[in-house]
């Protein structure tokens, strides 16, 4: 038997880590198909929220500015196909009612922040109201303008309740009443 010279196999290309987009989509797919553990899901969502915090907060603030500015402007027939449907008068209505109580809730009192992701299987929080700090909206949870409008209106109702009914937020009956009255305003009274 004759020895034939063999050529070595070509060197494999150096290992390059997958791109960030690949990791993001592959992780998202793993979550959707149930192939990711709950702790991996929480870690992925937390890292995603941190990575996008600045853009999420900027988008949220833009939605708030738009809602305060155009909350009751009817669509222009000339530009209707080109512009998105403006929001309803909810924000203007609530702000005017707060102003009738000799107070105001300007856009500067609305703060967009990143919130802690909800536990798996739980519903995320879209915002909160504090009599001392104003309204905080969760920029990573309330994403669309409609979600921001709903969350802002919900928190403005709490601000109105605080001013109109002198809610004691330490009293759980008062806090529960402000949550349930949004469903049926006649069903509860503070007492």
């Amino acid at each position: 038997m004759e020895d034939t010279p063999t050529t070595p196999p070509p060197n494999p290309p150096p290992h390059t880590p997958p791109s960030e987009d690949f990791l993001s989509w592959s992780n998202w797919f793993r979550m959707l198909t149930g192939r990711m553990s709950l702790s991996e899901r929480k870690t992925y969502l937390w890292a995603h929220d941190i990575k996008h915090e600045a853009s999420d907060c900027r988008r949220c603030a833009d939605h708030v500015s738009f809602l305060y500015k155009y909350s009751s402007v009817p669509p222009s027939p000339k530009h209707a196909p080109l512009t998105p449907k403006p929001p309803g008068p909810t924000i203007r209505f609530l702000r005017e009612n707060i102003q009738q109580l000799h107070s105001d809730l300007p856009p500067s009192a609305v703060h967009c922040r990143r919130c802690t992701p909800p536990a798996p299987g739980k519903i995320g929080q879209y915002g909160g109201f504090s009599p001392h700090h104003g309204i905080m909206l969760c920029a990573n949870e309330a994403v669309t303008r409609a979600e921001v409008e709903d969350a802002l209106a919900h928190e403005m109702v709490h601000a109105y309740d605080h001013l109109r009914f002198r809610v004691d937020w330490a009293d759980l009956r008062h806090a529960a009443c402000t949550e349930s009255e949004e469903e049926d305003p006649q069903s509860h009274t503070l007492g």
Side-chain angles (χ1 to χ4, degrees):
M1 272 181 116
E2 216 176 290
D3 281 313
T4 59
T6 59
T7 58
N11 289 336
H15 175 69
T16 55
S19 72
E20 198 170 300
D21 289 334
F22 173 79
L23 288 175
S24 179
W25 282 105
S26 67
N27 281 333
W28 186 251
F29 184 73
R30 285 179 58 218
M31 271 196 313
L32 290 176
T33 58
R35 295 180 183 163
M36 183 180 277
S37 72
L38 293 178
S39 64
E40 287 175 320
R41 176 187 165 137
K42 184 177 179 181
T43 301
Y44 170 76
L45 291 174
W46 185 249
H48 181 272
D49 287 347
I50 290 171
K51 176 182 174 188
H52 297 286
E53 179 175 11
S55 62
D56 287 348
C57 291
R58 190 170 39 256
R59 183 195 60 245
C60 175
D62 289 346
H63 288 327
V64 169
S65 295
F66 182 90
L67 290 167
Y68 267 88
K69 190 173 182 182
Y70 299 109
S71 180
S72 65
V73 176
S76 164
K78 182 198 250 183
H79 302 292
L82 302 175
T83 57
K85 180 183 172 205
T90 308
I91 303 305
R92 179 178 176 196
F93 172 80
L94 288 167
R95 186 173 186 196
E96 287 173 354
N97 278 274
I98 289 170
Q99 288 170 335
Q100 289 175 5
L101 297 174
H102 308 291
S103 191
D104 194 13
L105 197 58
S108 61
V110 180
H111 311 283
C112 294
R113 302 287 185 264
R114 175 179 46 87
C115 297
T116 305
K122 301 289 183 177
I123 296 174
Q125 176 181 351
Y126 278 45
F129 167 72
S130 165
H132 306 293
H133 304 291
I135 291 175
M136 190 264 310
L137 298 176
C138 297
N140 56 323
E141 296 292 331
V143 176
T144 66
R145 186 185 315 150
E147 290 172 332
V148 171
E149 182 177 22
D150 288 347
L152 180 58
H154 178 95
E155 301 310 332
M156 288 177 90
V157 169
H158 288 309
Y160 178 84
D161 287 345
H162 175 75
L163 295 166
R164 174 71 175 85
F165 301 111
R166 295 174 183 80
V167 175
D168 175 9
W169 295 101
D171 185 339
L172 292 180
R173 289 182 359 185
H174 284 212
C177 185
T178 65
E179 288 295 336
S180 61
E181 80 173 359
E182 290 184 40
E183 298 298 322
D184 181 8
Q186 302 301 319
S187 64
H188 298 305
T189 58
L190 297 176

